[in-house]
DNA sequence: AACCAGGAGAGAG
DNA sequence: CTCTCTCATGGT
């Protein structure tokens, strides 16, 4: 029953928007290079309560300074790191978070090594890091490590509310809901979640229509990779 | 000029 | 366990 509804929702989003593009070309890239995986991790921290446009500026700063890799972030001073990521806001607190996460990944032998572990084992370890809550942990698992963990964010909740799928908006509950009603496939989860965000933003601009979306000069993922 | 943008931690009740 | 405050910047 619900199974049908969620599957249909995905198909409709695909029909409406196609595959995720533009800002999502980094997150949904397949396969990903190690550098892309690391950029996803950095982006996942920087985008907390912050729009992606500003995160991109911070990523460009890091790339230009050749400090985008997790190894180089570990060796950066907090004040320097905070200066580089300033456009993404909350720079002091996020600099600390970034170093926490980067130190963890480097200490554990890098992204490819951690990618070999199961999500069940990894998730608690990520959640134990200061600066990593449920959404950030699952974003890293899904988009950086190709683990089938569905990401629940504010846009997902809006969709659930509008569609009246359920009335409980608890994180774990919604995550289980989506995962129990979809095949356990990280590619599906990546595209589905991206399309949810794309569609909700699309509807926010939607006082007018598609044509009114102003063509902002967008930074491509190549700019910081 | 207030308000928001893909959260999370710490503290209070 | 569920609020509320804090963290900070750039765009509208």
């Amino acid at each position: 029953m619900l199974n049908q509804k969620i599957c249909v929702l995905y198909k409709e989003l695909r029909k409406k928007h196609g595959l995720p593009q533009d800002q999502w070309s980094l997150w949904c890239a397949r396969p990903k290079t190690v550098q892309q995986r690391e950029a996803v991790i950095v982006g996942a921290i920087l985008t907390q309560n912050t729009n992606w446009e500003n995160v991109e500026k911070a990523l460009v700063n890091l790339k230009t300074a050749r400090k985008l890799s997790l190894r180089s972030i570990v060796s950066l001073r907090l004040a320097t790191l905070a200066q580089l990521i300033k456009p993404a806001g909350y720079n002091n607190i996020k600099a600390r978070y970034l170093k926490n996460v980067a130190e963890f990944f480097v200490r554990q032998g890098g992204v490819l090594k951690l990618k070999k572990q199961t999500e069940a084992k990894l998730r608690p370890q990520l959640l134990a890091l200061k600066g990593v809550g449920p959404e950030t942990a699952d974003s890293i698992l899904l988009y950086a490590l190709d683990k089938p963990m569905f990401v629940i964010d504010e846009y997902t909740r809006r969709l659930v509310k509008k569609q009246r799928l359920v009335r409980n908006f608890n994180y774990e509950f919604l995550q289980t809901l989506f995962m129990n009603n979809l095949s356990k496939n990280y590619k599906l989860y990546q595209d589905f979640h991206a399309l949810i965000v794309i569609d909700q933003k699309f509807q926010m601009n939607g006082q007018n229509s598609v044509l009114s979306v102003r063509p902002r000069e967008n930074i491509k993922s190549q700019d910081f990779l």
Side-chain angles (χ1 to χ4, degrees):
Chain A
M1 188 117 189
L2 215 58
N3 193 329
Q4 295 290 338
K5 209 163 180 178
I6 289 183
C7 289
V8 167
L9 218 46
Y10 173 69
K11 287 175 185 169
E12 286 177 350
L13 289 174
R14 274 297 301 272
K15 190 177 296 181
K16 188 171 173 184
H17 300 285
L19 283 170
Q21 293 174 333
D22 302 323
Q23 301 186 331
W24 291 92
S25 58
L26 169 66
W27 297 79
C28 292
R30 293 193 293 266
K32 287 189 182 74
T33 65
V34 171
Q35 290 155 356
Q36 285 175 312
R37 296 182 192 285
E38 297 198 353
V40 165
I41 293 169
V42 174
I45 302 292
L46 293 182
T47 197
Q48 289 173 2
N49 200 34
T50 302
N51 69 14
W52 183 250
E53 305 282 330
N54 289 339
V55 174
E56 281 181 322
K57 294 172 190 169
L59 289 176
V60 169
N61 284 352
L62 287 170
K63 177 59 184 174
T64 304
R66 297 174 182 272
K67 300 295 183 188
L68 185 52
S69 78
L70 297 183
R71 299 193 73 89
S72 56
I73 287 176
V74 169
S75 61
L76 269 180
R77 297 177 43 176
L78 266 181
T80 312
L81 182 55
Q83 193 59 35
L84 287 170
I85 64 173
K86 197 165 229 175
Y90 304 93
N91 55 348
N92 293 318
I93 190 85
K94 282 177 180 175
R96 260 193 292 277
Y97 291 173
L98 266 182
K99 291 205 72 170
N100 285 346
V101 175
E103 278 164 13
F104 170 78
F105 273 88
V106 169
R107 195 175 344 112
Q108 299 291 320
V111 283
L112 291 185
K113 187 143 191 175
L114 280 168
K115 189 175 176 298
K116 293 174 181 161
Q117 294 189 25
T118 66
E119 59 272 25
K121 193 166 191 175
L122 279 169
R123 196 169 191 269
Q125 295 183 291
L126 292 176
L127 288 174
L129 298 172
K130 282 203 190 300
V132 180
E135 183 182 335
T136 305
D138 290 331
S139 294
I140 291 174
L141 288 171
L142 178 61
Y143 288 106
L145 303 178
D146 296 341
K147 302 300 179 187
M149 293 295 294
F150 206 91
V151 175
I152 304 300
D153 60 9
E154 189 51 37
Y155 292 121
T156 313
R157 291 198 177 88
R158 288 180 201 170
L159 174 73
V160 169
K161 285 176 187 171
K162 286 182 187 175
Q163 296 289 325
R164 300 174 178 238
L165 291 179
V166 289
R167 306 188 55 169
N168 184 344
F169 307 119
N170 171 273
Y171 190 97
E172 310 289 339
F173 176 81
L174 288 181
Q175 181 175 52
T176 305
L177 174 72
F178 277 87
M179 292 177 65
N180 283 347
N181 289 288
L182 292 167
S183 57
K184 201 161 185 167
N185 179 339
Y186 78 89
K187 298 178 186 179
L188 170 63
Y189 291 5
Q190 287 181 355
D191 292 340
F192 197 172
H193 174 256
L195 286 170
I196 289 172
V197 177
I198 289 167
D199 192 59
Q200 291 300 309
K201 286 188 173 180
F202 180 76
Q203 293 188 25
M204 285 167 65
N205 292 347
Q207 291 158 355
N208 305 327
S209 74
V210 200
L211 302 174
S212 72
V213 181
R214 66 197 162 74
R216 61 178 175 283
E217 172 225 350
N218 59 344
I219 306 166
K220 295 189 173 64
S221 65
Q222 288 99 13
D223 292 337
F224 46 84
L225 287 181

